[in-house]
Amino acid sequence: MKKILVTGGAGFIGSHTCVELINARYEPVVIDNFCNCSPENIKGIEKITGKKLIVYERDVRDNIDDIFEKENISAVIHFAGLKAVGESCEQPVRYFKNNIDSIINLIESMDKANVKSLLFSSSATVYGENNPIPFKEGFPLSTTNPYGTTKLIGEKLIEDACKYLNFKACNLRYYNPINSHESGLLPEKPLGIPTNIFPIIEQCVENDTILTIFGNDYDTPDGTCVRDFINVVDLANGHVKAIEFLETIQNGICEVINLGTGKGMSVIELIKAFEQKKNCKVKYQFGERRVGDIAAMLADVSKAKKLLNWQTERTPV
Ligand SMILES: NC(=O)c1ccc[n+]([C@@H]2O[C@H](COP(=O)([O-])OP(=O)(O)OC[C@H]3O[C@@H](n4cnc5c(N)ncnc54)[C@H](O)[C@@H]3O)[C@@H](O)[C@H]2O)c1
């Protein structure tokens, strides 16, 4: 079984990807410093798959050469990173250090160990504010916050690693992953206050509090923001397909690929779908627009379909 090093493998998307890698007969090797997740996720992966996981509680910014020396790694998926847009505006340097230093360190260790295959968790946020929807991979890029800047710089570093260090890589641009494994064993439970919409909705229902929707006067059918919400299990499978794709391409190539559904859903539509699925009522109110939010974000998914032979199979909620 080929070993795939999964940084941030105990986190939300990483843990789901570990499950799908095991289902596809790969062996994930996890590095996580548990700064934004519970070790319970590791137990969840093991329960779902019936397999004991190799886990290193480490920071990707530290020297990780020994892991490459000990494990026979064939490819790396780099999820580890801080991801809260608002927090990145308050603590930009923490985001620069965590998200950019970790990529440089990882590339250095991979190069030393002659491991050249890399998937990187980028984000649709790199399309900035001025592109028409759906977003195509070749569109001009810009960012509106330090988090986005770390993703853009990360993509560029990886592009150069392909060019000058003979890596082969995919910069995968995610949209809005939601939901969780059907077993209920991998809930999206970040440490601290959640910033992604799905755990916020779940928390409001659980605590009987009111959800604030930021803005209902956008140029969208119901006035609320439209996003490309994607079931995290589909997103996890996209990584398996991307690993398989890396096995077919030559070193020196860097592909940028959107991983989304290509279908938009408004925040109100998301809430309605949630209510129907969970048979509950979500109390909500409208608040002011949030700085930096754009009306609609949507992926053009034709490249993922063509290159990876991947498309979503599940409903987001
Ligand atoms: N969830 C989203 O909406 C979304 C959208 C676009 C891109 N992404 C990117 O996908 C990746 C995974 O996101 P997620 O939603 O699973 O987040 P998450 O916070 O659940 O997972 C990230 C994991 O990385 C770990 N980590 C962070 N810094 C680390 C470091 N220096 N060393 C070791 N471990 C470290 C955390 O403990 C956590 O388990 C992130 O890079 C994120 O920026 C997420």
Side-chain angles (χ1 to χ4, degrees):
M1 269 197 296
K2 288 184 186 156
K3 284 186 179 172
I4 312 293
L5 185 69
V6 185
T7 76
F12 172 51
I13 308 172
S15 57
H16 285 85
T17 301
C18 285
V19 169
E20 298 310 318
L21 283 170
I22 293 168
N23 288 343
R25 306 198 160 275
Y26 289 97
E27 184 170 17
V29 174
V30 169
I31 301 183
D32 205 300
N33 65 2
F34 296 93
C35 71
N36 194 39
C37 67
S38 158
E40 285 300 306
N41 286 351
I42 299 294
K43 287 190 198 152
I45 299 167
E46 291 179 340
K47 260 196 193 150
I48 292 166
T49 61
K51 292 260 188 303
K52 183 96 187 99
L53 210 59
I54 305 171
V55 181
Y56 291 87
E57 184 171 352
R58 298 273 282 276
D59 195 301
V60 186
R61 288 168 294 171
D62 294 337
N63 191 324
I64 51 170
D65 291 350
D66 60 308
I67 299 175
F68 284 96
E69 278 156 24
K70 182 153 178 238
E71 312 290 348
N72 186 17
I73 303 294
S74 63
V76 177
I77 310 180
H78 182 48
F79 290 108
L82 302 174
K83 63 166 183 178
V85 169
E87 189 182 64
S88 79
C89 300
E90 289 155 17
Q91 305 171 27
V93 177
R94 184 169 157 240
Y95 272 68
F96 300 154
K97 281 192 159 168
N98 195 77
N99 292 5
I100 297 172
D101 288 358
S102 61
I103 296 174
I104 298 170
N105 203 40
L106 181 64
I107 289 174
E108 187 181 23
S109 287
M110 287 177 66
D111 190 44
K112 273 191 217 159
N114 204 26
V115 176
K116 303 279 184 176
S117 299
L118 176 61
L119 300 181
F120 172 55
S121 300
S122 188
S123 163
T125 189
V126 299
Y127 289 109
E129 291 179 302
N130 301 317
N131 281 310
I133 52 166
F135 296 158
K136 290 184 198 288
E137 287 86 350
F139 278 2
L141 306 177
S142 63
T143 66
T144 54
N145 55 71
Y147 165 72
T149 303
T150 66
K151 291 297 174 192
L152 194 51
I153 292 173
E155 285 198 11
K156 289 286 166 203
L157 293 172
I158 289 165
E159 215 179 287
D160 275 359
C162 292
K163 215 166 166 181
Y164 300 104
L165 297 173
N166 212 20
F167 275 43
K168 51 178 166 177
C170 296
N171 286 325
L172 301 174
R173 294 185 182 148
Y174 309 157
Y175 287 71
N176 291 73
I178 57 170
N179 219 327
S180 61
H181 192 267
E182 60 183 2
S183 64
L185 292 167
L186 298 175
E188 185 179 8
K189 282 228 161 92
L191 304 182
I193 301 162
T195 52
N196 280 7
I197 190 158
F198 211 71
I200 294 177
I201 296 175
E202 281 175 327
Q203 219 175 55
C204 285
V205 171
E206 225 173 271
N207 302 338
D208 195 27
T209 51
I210 299 170
L211 174 79
T212 300
I213 298 172
F214 300 111
N216 62 340
D217 57 351
Y218 284 100
D219 185 16
T220 58
D222 63 26
T224 63
C225 287
V226 167
R227 293 290 177 266
D228 190 326
F229 293 107
I230 175 171
N231 190 308
V232 67
V233 178
D234 277 332
L235 182 61
N237 273 316
H239 291 77
V240 176
K241 290 286 191 184
I243 286 286
E244 289 168 1
F245 169 70
L246 283 183
E247 288 167 2
T248 68
I249 63 168
Q250 293 189 346
N251 287 5
I253 293 177
C254 183
E255 292 285 357
V256 179
I257 306 172
N258 285 329
L259 292 184
T261 65
K263 295 182 199 98
M265 197 184 219
S266 75
V267 174
I268 292 284
E269 284 172 331
L270 175 71
I271 291 171
K272 297 285 165 227
F274 184 94
E275 288 180 331
Q276 210 174 6
K277 172 95 183 281
K278 308 266 172 167
N279 195 21
C280 67
K281 193 88 202 128
V282 180
K283 294 180 190 162
Y284 60 83
Q285 63 188 6
F286 295 112
E288 293 293 308
R289 288 183 179 198
R290 220 167 27 174
V291 180
D293 273 347
I294 57 174
M297 273 179 138
L298 201 58
D300 181 305
V301 291
S302 46
K303 189 169 176 186
K305 203 168 171 185
K306 193 167 158 215
L307 279 192
L308 307 183
N309 188 25
W310 170 87
Q311 60 187 355
T312 55
E313 290 172 356
R314 295 160 182 76
T315 52
V317 179

